[in-house]
Structure formats: C-alpha cells, structure tokens
Amino acid sequence: MSDADAVLTAAEPHRDAFTALARDVKAWARARGIDSAPCGGLPGLAWTVLAARTAHEAGHLPPLALLRHFFATWAAWDWREPVGPVRAAAPDSGGYGKSGDHTAATRPLTVLTPTAPVRSCTSQVTPAGRDLVSAELFRAWEILESAGDDTAVRTQLCAPPVLRERHAAWALAAVGPGPDEGRLRGRLLALLATLTEAGAPDAHIWPGPVTVGGRTGYAIGLGATPPDGPRLAEIGAEILRGIRDASLTPVGLPALRSGGDLAFAG
C-alpha cells in the first residue's frame, strides 16, 4: 500500500494522466509477454513507476502524445542507470535514486521501489530479458511515431508477437492437476537461469499457464540455440526435483496454441 501511495504522489500534479498511461502501458506489456516477474519480466510495480516518472515530467500532454513520450523515453534509456520514481529515496539514503542495494547498478535492468527500504523490483531480469524489453519499447515507439488514429495505434501496439520468428523450438514445463502449479511457478526463474547456462540465453517464458494433454504448465521459447531433448530432460529433472510428476519436455507451437489462451501468433 505504501508503494502504491508513493507512486500516486510521484505522478502529481497529473494523476489522471498517470492513471490512463499506466493502464495503457500495462495492457501493452501483458499483450507482449513482458509483464510477469515470476517469468523473468517486469512486475506491474515497475511499469507503474516508469509511468509515474513519465506523467510527472510530461503529464500535460494529450493521451497519445504522452504514450509516445513514455516509449521514447524508456526506449532510449541507458539501463545501466537504475530508475527510481520522483521523490522515492528513503530519508537516510542520501538523495534521489539511491538504493540500499549496492548491486543495483551492476544488474541488467533496475527499477527501484518507491518506499524504504528502497530496493530493486527487477532483479529477476536477465541480460536477454533487458534486450527483449528494450526491443519491445523501440517497437512501440516506432508505431507511435507513425501514428494513425487512436484506435488503430492501440490495436497495433497490443498485437500479439510472432514468436516463431524469435524461437527455434519450444518446451513445456508442466505438472499434473493439483496444487503443485504454484511450486512449478516458483521454479521458473531457476529454469530460465539453467537454460541460459545450457546455451539458450534468449529463452523466454510466456506468462500465463496453459493446459496440454491434461497437464498444466508454462510455455518456454528456447531462443535461437535450443538445448536438445535429452538436455531438456536433464534440466527438468534437476530444477523440478521434488515436484510430483513435473517435467520439462519439447513441444510444438500448435499444441501450445490449442492448449490455452496463449496471446501470441504462431
């Protein structure tokens, strides 16, 4: 609650503009699959902080121009510099943008929480995750630079990505029916780290569970250099150990698309 109050304060005197901007940005991030912290993306708090910064600086702009300003600002941002909301520093932190986490500046992408203890809410983002976020921000900026009418632009912004152009193969991390889905979700970042070590640094977990063959799981795009089936099985056995009937197996896009509400183009 304190973070939410601080973000609203940071957006002043343009609270209404901030509210509309944050709603649009979160819808875009969700549609493009970069909005889930457990899957290696940015949490809603991070997108809200970025929207509050934008509204504080340019909230006088009309909605579409403000949205364009948001994407122009963050597409061009040097992510070696941590981002904190306006007036977010703790009283004893020594000033704006300071963080008690001294590793923040060495991480691929850092957005700081609005209230003390000031800390990163994006420590789960990998270098490949940062590159994906940057690419999506640039794509959105380019769309808005050639903007047509409001409805057409928003439709194009939130069009599903064509992920077959990004990933050479897919896997499904899945469990049987029951309460183990939460345990599986808690292992997703470990899976992502191990896939990176196995030679797939651009692997990407698509947010939101799918059900394939009676099993619930998460679709994982394996990037340009996917591990083979035996290596995937080894990774699954290592990272998912202790979760009953859990597995990591290769899967085709048609099976994924027929198994759940996957909002991407095959």
Side-chain angles (χ1 to χ4, degrees):
M1 291 298 294
S2 61
D3 280 342
D5 290 341
V7 168
L8 286 173
T9 300
E12 297 293 359
H14 304 292
R15 182 174 293 197
D16 290 343
F18 155 71
T19 301
L21 176 64
R23 182 176 59 247
D24 286 343
V25 167
K26 287 183 178 181
W28 161 81
R30 183 167 54 253
R32 302 299 293 181
I34 53 175
D35 68 327
S36 173
C39 295
L42 275 64
L45 177 60
W47 293 116
T48 302
V49 166
L50 299 182
R53 280 282 299 269
T54 303
H56 181 83
E57 295 165 1
H60 59 282
L61 294 173
L64 202 59
L66 182 61
L67 194 60
R68 184 184 301 112
H69 186 81
F70 174 91
F71 287 115
T73 297
W74 303 116
W77 188 262
D78 181 352
W79 291 110
R80 291 173 297 184
E81 182 179 346
V83 180
V86 177
R87 301 187 299 276
D92 60 349
S93 68
Y96 164 75
K98 302 285 185 175
S99 170
D101 182 354
H102 298 295
T103 67
T106 66
R107 289 175 175 157
L109 183 156
T110 298
V111 178
L112 302 173
T113 58
T115 55
V118 177
R119 62 209 178 278
S120 172
C121 62
T122 54
S123 58
Q124 70 282 351
V125 179
T126 65
R130 173 206 57 211
D131 294 345
L132 176 59
V133 168
S134 294
E136 289 292 347
L137 289 165
F138 269 106
R139 169 191 172 272
W141 184 16
E142 289 173 349
I143 289 172
L144 284 158
E145 282 299 307
S146 57
D149 68 89
D150 187 281
T151 301
V153 167
R154 293 175 191 277
T155 299
Q156 190 176 356
L157 274 179
C158 294
V162 184
L163 293 184
R164 68 172 181 270
E165 298 175 356
R166 187 182 295 161
H167 300 288
W170 287 80
L172 180 69
V175 293
D180 286 327
E181 183 189 328
R183 298 183 65 198
L184 174 66
R185 186 178 175 89
R187 305 280 180 94
L188 292 178
L189 291 180
L191 275 177
L192 203 58
T194 306
L195 286 168
T196 296
E197 294 171 359
D202 48 350
H204 173 239
I205 301 171
W206 187 261
V210 296
T211 301
V212 178
R215 293 166 59 79
T216 298
Y218 290 82
I220 305 175
L222 298 173
T225 55
D228 59 21
R231 181 66 182 118
L232 275 179
E234 291 175 0
I235 292 171
E238 174 189 351
I239 303 301
L240 303 179
R241 183 184 297 114
I243 303 178
R244 181 178 57 86
D245 199 27
S247 62
L248 179 66
T249 55
V251 67
L253 271 176
L256 289 174
R257 289 188 58 80
S258 66
D261 186 21
L262 283 188
F264 58 74

